Amino acid sequence: MPIEIAMPSYSESMEAADLIGWLVSPGDFVKKGDPIAEIETDKATGELESPSSGTLVEICVPEGSQGVKVGTVVARLEPAEAP
């Protein structure tokens, strides 16, 4: 079952952020902690990290999207099977 990756909150007052660009594409394998997207808030620019190792199966929010609310599912990841 895919893991839903949501727009994170970097502060208590953060309500939304801009999704500047994707660093990976559907079908790419990522490791836990790998940067997968660039996010910009009114105070800083940062990277969204993968919460788990696996294959990115879907991008739900296109790059260049502005005002993406915290908690919005931005992508889905099929977790890697444990050995």
Side-chain angles (χ1 to χ4, degrees), residues 7-54:
M7 176 63 76
S9 175
Y10 295 116
S11 70
E12 287 184 27
S13 63
M14 182 178 153
E15 295 180 7
D18 299 339
L19 198 151
I20 302 302
W22 286 100
L23 304 174
V24 295
S25 300
D28 289 351
F29 182 84
V30 295
K31 294 180 183 174
K32 181 177 181 176
D34 282 353
I36 59 172
E38 291 181 308
I39 296 172
E40 183 174 66
T41 68
D42 57 347
K43 297 181 181 178
T45 299
E47 294 177 333
L48 174 61
E49 296 180 354
S50 178
S52 180
S53 295

Side-chain angles (χ1 to χ4, degrees), residues 34-80:
D34 282 353
I36 59 172
E38 291 181 308
I39 296 172
E40 183 174 66
T41 68
D42 57 347
K43 297 181 181 178
T45 299
E47 294 177 333
L48 174 61
E49 296 180 354
S50 178
S52 180
S53 295
T55 302
L56 189 74
V57 292
E58 182 182 6
I59 289 176
C60 304
V61 175
E63 63 183 30
S65 294
Q66 297 183 345
V68 181
K69 292 190 183 295
V70 168
T72 299
V73 174
V74 296
R76 289 187 174 85
L77 179 80
E78 187 65 45

